[in-house]
Amino acid sequence: MLWSKIEIKLKEKGISVYRLSKLTGISHQTLSSLKTGKSKSPSFELMVKIADALNINLDEFR
């Protein structure tokens, strides 16, 4: 569910997962774990980095 929201924002902004990794400093492996559901409870810090990179409000991940 969370990844689908991130993916929608990535598509809207024309950003790849690789680019998101570079913008946030979050490893591609960590983002892949989030995408596959292996990471079920990402940290607040991680979500802030993603929201900042996508220039969106954290509330959009609710």
Side-chain angles (χ1 to χ4, degrees):
M1 177 86 169
L2 176 62
W3 183 257
S4 62
K5 291 178 182 182
I6 294 171
E7 199 166 43
I8 288 168
K9 293 300 177 184
L10 288 173
K11 286 181 183 176
E12 285 177 4
K13 308 239 181 222
I15 298 173
S16 67
V17 176
Y18 175 79
R19 179 81 177 128
L20 180 63
S21 173
K22 294 300 179 190
L23 290 170
T24 59
I26 300 168
S27 73
H28 193 272
Q29 182 178 8
T30 299
L31 291 173
S32 291
S33 291
L34 188 59
K35 183 177 182 177
T36 60
K38 290 181 182 176
S39 176
K40 300 204 186 284
S41 299
S43 69
F44 178 74
E45 180 182 343
L46 182 109
M47 295 312 300
V48 168
K49 287 180 180 182
I50 293 172
D52 287 348
L54 296 175
N55 196 30
I56 59 174
N57 192 312
L58 273 173
D59 288 336
E60 293 193 45
F61 292 131
R62 288 182 169 208

